Amino acid sequence: MGEMLSVKNINVFYGSIHAIRDVSFHVDDGEIVTLIGANGAGKTTTMHAISGLLKLQSGEITYCGEIISKMEAHKIIRLGLSQVPEGRRVFSGLTVQQNLMLGAYTRRDGKEAIQNDFDMVYELLPRLKERRGQLAGTLSGGEQQMLAIGRALMCKPKMLLLDEPSMGLSPLLVKEIFKIIRDVNRNGVTVLLVEQNAKMALEIANRAYVLETGTIKMEGDAHELANNIEVRKAYLGC
Amino acid sequence: MQFLSYLISGISLGSVYALIALGYTMVYGIAKMLNFAHGDIIMIGSYVIFFAFGSFGWNPLVAVLFSMVICTILGVLIERVAYRPLREAPSLAVLITAIGVSYLLQQVAQLLWTSNAKSFTSVVGLQKITLFDGQLIISGETIVTILVCIVIMVFLTLFVNHTVPGHAMLAVSEDRGAAQLMGVNVNATISLTFAIGSALAAVAGALLCSTYPSLSPTTGAMPGIKAFVAAVFGGIGSIPGAFIGGILLGIIENLSKAYISTQLSDAIVFAVLIVVLLVKPTGLLGKKVNVKV
């Protein structure tokens, strides 16, 4: 199990706000790693820095041995690093099928291979299949989240970044989404999961990092962190 | 019969507005900016045709195609040099730059070709048709303008709704960041939009100057503003909106000229815009945009 993603001492500014201070962490091949923290801790900023939507002030991000921190966002995805953004951000004016097709935008390996992945996504997320001709804007929140995940899988990623997939969903749906994440990981996709729902995230993760006001406060085995008194007090409410 | 004749020439004028409005609306939808230099691209394109066809005697179709190529290059170049560096800048800065580019093009045209109006030879070879025993005469320019506009509209709609680059454009238009996460190259998509808009401007210029054969460096300015009004009228950012807005604007303008007053026709056009915006601020087919705080 080699190191797949490595974030080294990154600093990110939003205008004059120092949003991320000297953050370092890594994700190994095949793992589920979660980054937990409260609102405004810098989780989404970190995600955007990795996917290239935000520029770093300093530091370095490498993915599969390649430095990606100076690469443009639309090139990073070509390396198999796909993101499910916060708030789903599906294309509401396009159908489910068209959204998934855009997920495969970077692929040049032929119709047949893409069709296979359509089948794979529809098998994993059968509800999308029922709704494939429907405009994405008319889907429920849970279905939109599934679509966002399906869309991110259509580029055949080696690694999936998920930003708050449980946001705004009912507990039952949250369970369903987390089961899907686990399935995706079992199919060989490495996962970096950012969550406010620390309880669920720690349940499925191998390792975890706790982010507070832009710095990593704690890190370790997910199971151990879930039993850590400080974490329990601050994030699990017990 | 008189009414029918005014109506048809109104649709023809409206078709030209629609073609120009498509450029405004697509660029607005995708790059989120108002390209006020768009009207002046029409003027440059018309000069290209004027020389290629009028002076050098090229085949008219080849001259129009050549003008489309020149306008495409010009449009993409302007975007690359003037607008791309301002991608993250406040929209006011971009707007003022666009107005600056508009004046630049007009002044350059004036330097090169003087401000004297040139008489443009129509590129349309079609004969006029006479209907109802000579009561209704439709010029070849009118027919070609309407047909060309319909054909372009159909192709553009098919392109945007049924091809992958078209979907990429829709994606960038809806959510630039999410489109980037799909691997869509936003800069390339914006360039493509400028290319298409500018090529359509060249076609619009050819049709406009064939119907109204006087060409000067300010030829593109007024149709440019009117087409912008048409785009807003139909709902800026919407392709069918630009089409409907353009056609309606042309009809309103022509009927006002015929039945109310030639001098007041422009005022009436703008008054209609104000009324539409008061009743439906997003335009006829515009979507309500929820700004996330």
Side-chain angles (χ1 to χ4, degrees):
Chain A
M1 284 217 298
E3 202 172 77
M4 195 164 217
L5 180 80
S6 148
V7 174
K8 274 191 204 112
N9 304 317
I10 61 164
N11 284 283
V12 183
F13 283 77
Y14 262 127
S16 59
I17 302 163
H18 196 169
I20 297 287
R21 297 160 191 270
D22 266 329
V23 164
S24 299
F25 64 91
H26 68 96
V27 182
D28 290 338
D29 195 3
E31 273 190 313
I32 299 182
V33 170
T34 182
L35 210 58
I36 56 175
N39 237 340
K43 304 187 301 292
T44 296
T45 309
T46 308
M47 287 302 229
H48 283 181
I50 297 171
S51 60
L53 289 181
L54 276 176
K55 289 211 164 61
L56 304 184
Q57 180 80 17
S58 64
E60 193 175 85
I61 302 172
T62 48
Y63 167 77
C64 292
E66 208 167 332
I67 296 172
I68 58 167
S69 36
K70 289 207 167 61
M71 229 181 250
E72 289 167 285
H74 69 268
K75 287 186 181 147
I76 291 176
I77 187 191
R78 284 175 167 76
L79 304 173
L81 179 59
S82 186
Q83 180 171 167
V84 181
E86 184 186 11
R88 298 144 202 154
R89 291 169 78 170
V90 294
F91 301 112
S92 60
L94 297 176
T95 64
V96 168
Q97 181 104 10
Q98 289 167 340
N99 265 277
L100 292 176
M101 204 60 217
L102 266 177
Y105 183 80
T106 53
R107 289 177 58 179
R108 297 286 176 267
D109 53 353
K111 277 203 170 119
E112 212 171 302
I114 292 174
Q115 189 54 49
N116 280 341
D117 283 330
F118 262 113
D119 296 342
M120 179 271 290
V121 167
Y122 283 145
E123 196 181 324
L124 184 72
L125 308 159
R127 265 210 260 176
L128 293 184
K129 191 170 188 179
E130 290 165 31
R131 306 208 181 280
R132 62 186 151 184
Q134 213 170 309
L135 290 183
T138 65
L139 300 179
S140 72
E143 289 162 350
Q144 287 191 9
Q145 188 62 60
M146 289 177 196
L147 178 56
I149 294 174
R151 187 179 64 175
L153 289 175
M154 283 303 292
C155 74
K156 263 197 160 170
K158 283 183 272 195
M159 180 168 182
L160 195 62
L161 308 175
L162 290 130
D163 196 347
E164 302 265 7
S166 76
M167 195 168 71
L169 300 183
S170 70
L172 214 64
L173 270 171
V174 172
K175 261 199 181 140
E176 203 175 327
I177 294 288
F178 274 81
K179 187 186 164 295
I180 292 165
I181 297 171
R182 204 180 263 168
D183 288 346
V184 167
N185 178 251
R186 283 198 186 126
N187 288 339
V189 180
T190 307
V191 172
L192 174 61
L193 170 67
V194 152
E195 261 299 340
Q196 275 193 61
N197 189 336
K199 186 171 175 295
M200 291 296 291
L202 290 173
E203 244 169 59
I204 67 164
N206 303 104
R207 289 187 304 113
Y209 294 85
V210 178
L211 199 61
E212 239 178 74
T213 55
T215 51
I216 301 269
K217 277 282 147 66
M218 268 181 275
E219 59 175 282
D221 180 86
H223 191 67
E224 277 168 29
L225 273 182
N227 291 318
N228 178 296
I229 292 180
E230 270 180 75
V231 172
R232 291 180 75 97
K233 254 194 206 153
Y235 298 104
L236 302 175
C238 54
Chain B
M1 214 47 78
Q2 197 91 78
F3 174 78
L4 199 60
S5 158
Y6 292 136
L7 186 68
I8 291 171
S9 52
I11 294 174
S12 166
L13 176 64
S15 299
V16 174
Y17 289 155
L19 286 182
I20 310 170
L22 282 171
Y24 269 110
T25 225
M26 288 174 75
V27 164
Y28 179 83
I30 286 151
K32 303 284 176 257
M33 66 160 291
L34 293 170
N35 177 21
F36 275 117
H38 190 57
D40 303 294
I41 305 257
I42 296 168
M43 175 269 297
I44 300 282
S46 301
Y47 271 103
V48 171
I49 298 172
F50 174 80
F51 288 114
F53 171 59
S55 305
F56 305 143
W58 291 14
N59 174 302
L61 194 64
V62 175
V64 173
L65 287 175
F66 180 64
S67 162
M68 288 171 77
V69 171
I70 297 286
C71 285
T72 302
I73 294 170
L74 184 65
V76 171
L77 198 71
I78 288 171
E79 192 278 324
R80 183 76 190 78
V81 174
Y83 304 147
R84 192 176 295 180
L86 298 172
R87 196 79 88 222
E88 307 300 325
S91 54
L92 199 57
V94 187
L95 187 71
I96 289 170
T97 305
I99 294 173
V101 172
S102 165
Y103 279 115
L104 178 74
L105 292 178
Q106 288 182 22
Q107 300 306 318
V108 168
Q110 200 165 334
L111 273 176
L112 290 175
W113 305 307
T114 76
S115 57
N116 298 329
K118 295 195 169 11
S119 142
F120 191 92
T121 322
S122 172
V123 292
V124 177
L126 197 67
Q127 286 300 313
K128 65 183 178 208
I129 52 170
T130 312
L131 293 170
F132 306 111
D133 299 329
Q135 288 187 54
L136 182 63
I137 299 167
I138 307 172
S139 72
E141 283 80 10
T142 304
I143 299 167
V144 169
T145 302
I146 295 172
L147 287 182
V148 164
C149 179
I150 291 172
V151 168
I152 285 177
M153 195 57 214
V154 168
F155 270 100
L156 204 59
T157 308
L158 288 177
F159 170 74
V160 169
N161 292 322
H162 297 283
T163 69
V164 174
H167 289 160
M169 284 173 120
L170 291 177
V172 172
S173 150
E174 187 175 332
D175 187 334
R176 196 181 284 182
Q180 272 177 294
L181 290 179
M182 300 300 108
V184 176
N185 183 340
V186 169
N187 281 332
T189 307
I190 291 176
S191 292
L192 176 66
T193 311
F194 270 84
I196 294 174
S198 306
L200 295 185
V203 176
L207 296 169
L208 183 77
C209 290
S210 293
T211 312
Y212 305 91
S214 158
L215 176 60
S216 74
T218 52
T219 291
M222 200 56 185
I225 300 262
K226 294 245 187 77
F228 169 62
V229 170
V232 175
F233 193 37
I236 192 140
S238 155
I239 290 176
F243 182 68
I244 292 170
I247 301 281
L248 282 179
L249 203 73
I251 294 174
I252 294 169
E253 185 179 330
N254 237 26
L255 292 184
S256 314
K257 268 186 191 150
Y259 293 109
I260 305 173
S261 151
T262 315
Q263 279 103 22
L264 279 181
S265 69
D266 287 349
I268 293 168
V269 163
F270 289 112
V272 169
L273 172 77
I274 292 170
V275 172
V276 168
L277 290 186
L278 283 175
V279 178
K280 203 167 178 301
T282 52
L284 295 174
L285 298 184
K287 270 177 271 170
K288 205 175 136 200
V289 182
N290 294 312
V291 178
K292 198 179 152 197
V293 186

